[in-house]
């Protein structure tokens, strides 16, 4: 009986019997054709925004999807592991709200060899640049010989089914969520059914589409429809929100009490575009933001001749709508490099060329819209004064890669303030001495370097005390004396296993001791935390789908922690 309904519905919606369609359509109206929506209304999702999906181009025939091969390389200590695919998600596109039993149908017209996928996300993944924690999703895909169904259930379980299948030139993939399970159809045939572990329990579906590298297809239709009386399907067309700053929130307090100082934080595209409370707290409290991962090389430049700007664009547009400045992060780093950069046998001259092109393209795209850039990230050995020598940049150019990159960035946007960003340089030590000498050498040569970012990722436990504010003040002064701006660029205070109300008070005092210092010293251009809520934090352990970090200003429920209030007080105290 259900299968019967499914077949009938599938036929109607896919137009296979379109000639007989007139009568059917009137009993099953497309949303666009009907002002009145009842339970039977179906929706053409391609009528919504697909122009902000990386790798996609909206054409007259539909949405053309090209393979970008965007992936997350494993961290240095697991370099032999395979990369993790990180396909684009249409975060600014339609959001489907579903209830009960429903149908989704995608039409893929391949250009050449088939190799295309459509993903329905019930919960979005948490994406970092070293790992990705999947949410809940169903992916339907086609290769030349197979239909592939992949299910992510949100607690790290992954299921993949493959069915022998020869796709038509225009292949129709369909998924029906019926009575506790999924029925999968391809080109009109039922291929199988699979238990549904609650993939769409959030009641909302976000879409993604991607192709294998070197392949492309046009998504010509993407249809959603309810299947039974009592089921419901509707579409939301999201917009980038505009939020009034909180008059007693951090940014307004800083604007009136310490106008030299931007109050910043790192931002991720997925929560920004999917979690209203995240966007709200962000715009209420901060007037500068740093894309946490969206502008890193592997995220923004996944293939030699392809960029993926969508996430970075969304962050920059959100900032503009909400009168926030953007600090770009990061152009030249030894990490987060796609395999095509690290594994191709380029000549030194080619590496230099590709770096120049990368900088010109990325900085050029946001010219006049990005206040400052981390041009050089973490150039020094982890705990020693010498430069790191392992990156393709150093190998091709030696120390000169630093001056070269700063000059190229300056050329691409002469108004942007250019930084070197480093960790473990907060106090006077061998490493910060090395950073100081590097900065001085660059300035002596007239290289456009304007500032230093001190990351300030701190640990605070019984055993481990974070860098003392006075020690930081003393060290930072010598950089200021060189004529440089300074910024606290990535502050978080990790309590590890020792989170408790008392430790949160200590954490709060520590945060405010650093902000006080920055408020007092006009050479500080920004005080920026590395995220603002423990709900989405790089301090979370990647293997813990249910876990959270504890180093930031808002808790996982988005409630302000003592640290938030302490920062407000530090601003208010300042005249
Ligand atoms: C971190 C991100 O927060 C994580 O999401 C990612 O997995 C790894 O990188 N120094 C930097 C940042 O300059 O880019 C790093 O960000 C944290 C350390």
């Amino acid at each position: 009986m259900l299968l019967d309904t499914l077949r009938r519905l599938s036929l109607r919606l896919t137009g296979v019997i379109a000639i007989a369609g007139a009568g059917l359509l009137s009993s099953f109206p497309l949303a666009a054709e009907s002002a009145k929506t009842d339970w039977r209304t179906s929706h053409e999702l391609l009528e919504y925004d697909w122009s902000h999906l990386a790798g996609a181009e909206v054409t007259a025939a539909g949405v053309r999807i090209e393979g970008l091969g965007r992936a997350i390389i494993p961290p240095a200590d697991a370099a032999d592991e395979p990369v993790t695919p990180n396909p684009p998600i249409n975060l600014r596109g339609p959001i489907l709200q579903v209830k009960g039993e429903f149908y989704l149908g995608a039409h893929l017209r391949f250009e050449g060899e088939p190799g295309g996928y459509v993903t329905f996300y019930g919960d979005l993944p948490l994406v970092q640049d070293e790992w990705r924690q999947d949410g809940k999703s169903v992916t339907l895909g086609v290769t030349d010989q197979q239909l592939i169904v992949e299910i992510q259930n949100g607690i790290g379980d992954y299921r993949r089914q493959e069915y022998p299948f020869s796709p038509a030139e225009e292949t129709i993939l369909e998924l029906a969520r019926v009575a506790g399970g999924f029925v999968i159809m391809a080109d009109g045939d039922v291929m199988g059914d699979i238990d549904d572990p609650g993939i769409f329990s959030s009641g909302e579906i976000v879409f993604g589409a991607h192709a294998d590298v070197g392949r492309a297809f046009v998504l010509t239709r993407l249809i959603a429809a309810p299947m039974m009386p009592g089921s419901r399907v509707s579409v939301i067309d999201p917009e980038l929100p505009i939020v009034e700053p909180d008059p007693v929130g951090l940014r307004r307090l800083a604007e009136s009490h310490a106008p030299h100082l931007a109050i910043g934080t790192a931002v991720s595209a997925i929560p920004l575009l999917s979690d209203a409370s995240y966007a709200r707290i962000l715009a209420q409290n901060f007037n500068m933001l740093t894309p946490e991962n969206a502008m890193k090389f592997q995220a923004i430049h996944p293939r030699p001749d392809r960029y993926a700007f969508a996430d970075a664009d969304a962050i920059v547009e959100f900032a503009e709508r909400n009168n926030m400045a953007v600090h770009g992060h990061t152009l030249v780093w030894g990490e987060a490099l796609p395999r095509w950069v690290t594994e191709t046998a380029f000549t030194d001259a080619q590496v230099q060329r590709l770096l120049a092109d990368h900088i010109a393209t990325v900085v050029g795209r946001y010219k006049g819209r990005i206040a400052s850039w981390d041009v050089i990230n973490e150039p020094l050995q982890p705990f020693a004064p010498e430069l790191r020598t392992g990156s393709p940049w150093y190998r091709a150019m030696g120390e000169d890669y630093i001056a070269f990159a700063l000059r190229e960035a300056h050329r691409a946007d002469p108004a942007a303030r250019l930084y070197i960003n480093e960790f473990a340089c907060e106090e006077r030590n061998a490493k910060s001495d090395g950073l100081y000498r590097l900065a001085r050498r660059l300035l002596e040569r007239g290289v456009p370097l304007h500032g230093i970012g001190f990351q300030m990722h701190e640990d605070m436990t019984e055993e481990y005390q974070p860098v003392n504010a006075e020690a930081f003040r003393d060290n930072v002064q010598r950089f200021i004396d060189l004529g440089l701006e300074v910024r606290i660029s990535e502050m978080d205070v990790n309590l590890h296993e020792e989170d408790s109300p008392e430790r949160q008070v200590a954490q709060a005092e520590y945060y405010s001791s650093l902000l006080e210092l920055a408020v007092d010293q006009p050479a500080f251009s920004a005080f920026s935390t590395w995220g603002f809520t423990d709900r989405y934090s790089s301090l979370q352990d990647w293997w813990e789908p249910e876990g959270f970090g504890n180093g930031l200003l808002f808790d996982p429920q988005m409630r302000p922690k003592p640290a938030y209030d302490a920062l407000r007080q530090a601003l208010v105290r300042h005249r």
Side-chain angles (χ1 to χ4, degrees):
M1 157 58 197
L2 265 177
L3 267 186
D4 236 37
T5 316
L6 174 59
R7 275 220 178 80
R8 271 202 322 274
L9 179 60
S10 154
L11 288 176
R12 283 172 189 169
L13 293 169
T14 57
V16 174
I17 49 169
I19 331 96
L24 293 170
L25 268 184
S26 61
S27 70
F28 218 107
L30 270 169
E33 294 164 15
S34 166
K36 143 173 162 296
T37 54
D38 68 359
W39 76 267
R40 291 166 304 181
T41 303
S42 65
H43 301 266
E44 174 49 85
L45 295 156
L46 297 184
E47 287 169 6
Y48 295 82
D49 186 353
W50 287 77
S51 68
H52 293 99
L53 175 65
E57 185 196 346
V58 179
T59 71
V63 179
R64 184 171 182 277
I65 307 287
E66 228 184 46
L68 290 178
R70 192 173 70 175
I72 298 172
I73 56 148
D77 55 4
D80 296 337
E81 302 281 313
V83 301
T84 306
N86 185 24
I89 304 171
N90 193 12
L91 294 167
R92 295 169 75 177
I95 299 171
L96 195 68
Q97 297 195 307
V98 293
K99 200 177 132 248
E101 317 209 304
F102 59 88
Y103 162 98
L104 295 163
H107 296 214
L108 289 70
R109 187 186 297 156
F110 295 103
E111 295 175 7
E113 291 282 286
Y117 307 82
V118 175
T119 302
F120 311 121
Y121 294 92
D123 278 335
L124 292 165
L126 184 61
V127 175
Q128 313 267 343
D129 83 15
E130 291 177 347
W131 50 272
R132 165 187 160 112
Q133 211 168 63
D134 276 289
K136 297 180 181 175
S137 63
V138 178
T139 298
L140 302 182
V142 168
T143 64
D144 25 13
Q145 294 170 19
Q146 283 181 329
L147 168 74
I148 293 162
V149 182
E150 290 178 347
I151 298 189
Q152 294 283 1
N153 74 358
I155 52 167
D157 282 350
Y158 166 76
R159 182 160 165 195
R160 179 181 164 106
Q161 309 264 86
E162 294 168 357
Y163 305 91
F165 174 65
S166 356
E169 201 176 311
E170 172 139 352
T171 283
I172 302 171
L173 303 179
E174 298 166 293
L175 172 94
R177 211 279 298 270
V178 290
F182 297 121
V183 179
I184 314 290
M185 294 175 72
D187 289 342
D189 292 330
V190 173
M191 306 295 287
D193 53 88
I194 302 179
D195 284 351
D196 173 13
I199 300 299
F200 301 115
S201 57
S202 71
E204 293 196 337
I205 301 177
V206 172
F207 298 87
H210 68 282
D212 289 328
V213 171
R215 309 267 164 105
F217 68 92
V218 179
L219 192 57
T220 58
R221 300 189 75 181
L222 183 59
I223 298 205
M227 289 188 54
M228 294 285 157
S231 305
R232 237 201 43 197
V233 166
S234 55
V235 191
I236 302 174
D237 191 3
E239 271 192 51
L240 286 180
I242 298 180
V243 182
E244 263 310 296
D246 178 349
V248 292
L250 299 177
R251 68 182 280 185
R252 283 289 188 252
L253 292 178
E255 281 155 15
S256 51
H257 293 265
H260 68 280
L261 191 69
I263 303 293
T265 190
V267 172
S268 290
I270 290 178
L272 179 66
L273 296 168
S274 64
D275 183 336
S277 60
Y278 181 95
R280 179 173 49 77
I281 294 173
L282 177 63
Q284 282 175 333
N285 285 289
F286 299 89
N287 53 16
M288 173 172 263
L289 50 82
T290 304
E292 183 170 354
N293 292 309
M295 291 182 176
K296 290 178 182 173
F297 206 124
Q298 67 179 350
I300 207 165
H301 194 172
R303 306 278 314 145
D305 53 353
R306 290 285 178 280
Y307 285 81
F309 287 121
D311 291 350
D313 283 355
I315 291 171
V316 173
E317 281 175 45
F318 176 83
E320 289 175 336
R321 283 184 166 228
N322 289 285
N323 291 312
M324 308 159 103
V326 179
H327 178 80
H329 176 87
T330 178
L331 297 168
V332 190
W333 191 22
E335 291 180 31
L337 295 173
R339 294 283 200 233
W340 73 264
V341 170
T342 52
E343 287 181 359
T344 312
F346 291 118
T347 64
D348 293 351
Q350 284 172 324
V351 170
Q352 182 161 355
R353 186 72 264 139
L354 94 80
L355 183 60
D357 285 347
H358 177 81
I359 293 173
T361 306
V362 177
V363 177
R365 182 178 183 89
Y366 301 109
K367 183 180 179 192
R369 304 167 70 195
I370 291 203
S372 46
W373 275 103
D374 288 334
V375 179
I376 308 292
N377 204 37
E378 302 180 350
L380 301 175
Q381 301 286 338
F383 301 102
E386 296 83 25
L387 290 174
R388 291 181 197 246
T389 55
S391 73
W393 324 122
Y394 186 93
R395 286 209 216 124
M397 287 172 262
E399 175 171 342
D400 274 351
Y401 86 87
I402 296 177
F404 177 77
L406 286 161
R407 290 201 169 105
E408 293 298 310
H410 185 61
R411 193 159 42 173
D413 187 353
R417 309 297 285 166
L418 306 182
Y419 280 73
I420 296 177
N421 187 46
E422 190 47 282
F423 70 86
C425 285
E426 285 77 12
E427 304 176 273
R428 276 181 191 271
N429 55 32
K431 184 174 180 179
S432 67
D433 289 350
L435 180 61
Y436 175 76
R437 290 193 300 267
L438 171 65
R440 203 176 50 192
R441 280 200 299 283
L442 291 165
L443 293 174
E444 278 165 7
R445 290 168 59 198
V447 175
L449 170 71
H450 307 119
I452 304 289
F454 296 86
Q455 292 186 1
M456 204 67 77
H457 291 287
E458 297 297 325
D459 300 296
M460 192 172 190
T461 62
E462 283 303 323
E463 198 188 316
Y464 197 89
Q465 290 307 299
V467 164
N468 168 279
E470 280 314 310
F472 179 52
R473 188 201 303 271
D474 170 56
N475 174 46
V476 96
Q477 188 60 45
R478 57 179 167 162
F479 292 87
I480 296 170
D481 292 341
L482 289 177
L484 291 166
E485 305 170 5
V486 292
R487 63 198 303 275
I488 291 175
S489 57
E490 306 189 0
M491 186 164 178
D492 49 29
V493 184
N494 194 345
L495 303 176
H496 295 270
E497 310 299 303
E498 299 173 20
D499 194 2
S500 68
E502 297 73 44
R503 299 306 285 166
Q504 287 189 20
V505 170
Q507 182 185 46
E509 284 165 7
Y510 184 61
Y511 261 111
S512 68
S513 71
L514 271 301
L515 178 58
E516 270 165 13
L517 190 157
V519 153
D520 274 346
Q521 169 52 271
F524 270 90
S525 59
F527 173 89
S528 186
T529 58
W530 204 237
F532 58 93
T533 169
D534 296 334
R535 183 186 290 186
Y536 310 102
S537 163
S538 64
L539 299 180
Q540 182 192 337
D541 295 328
W542 62 266
W543 58 89
E544 286 264 27
E546 311 286 336
F548 296 103
N550 59 29
L552 298 171
L553 309 180
F554 290 81
D555 74 9
Q557 287 73 45
M558 300 296 213
R559 291 173 306 212
K561 291 161 60 175
Y564 172 72
D565 233 35
L567 292 184
R568 291 184 54 248
Q569 297 311 324
L571 292 166
V572 174
R573 274 198 299 274
H574 193 76
R575 302 257 90 228

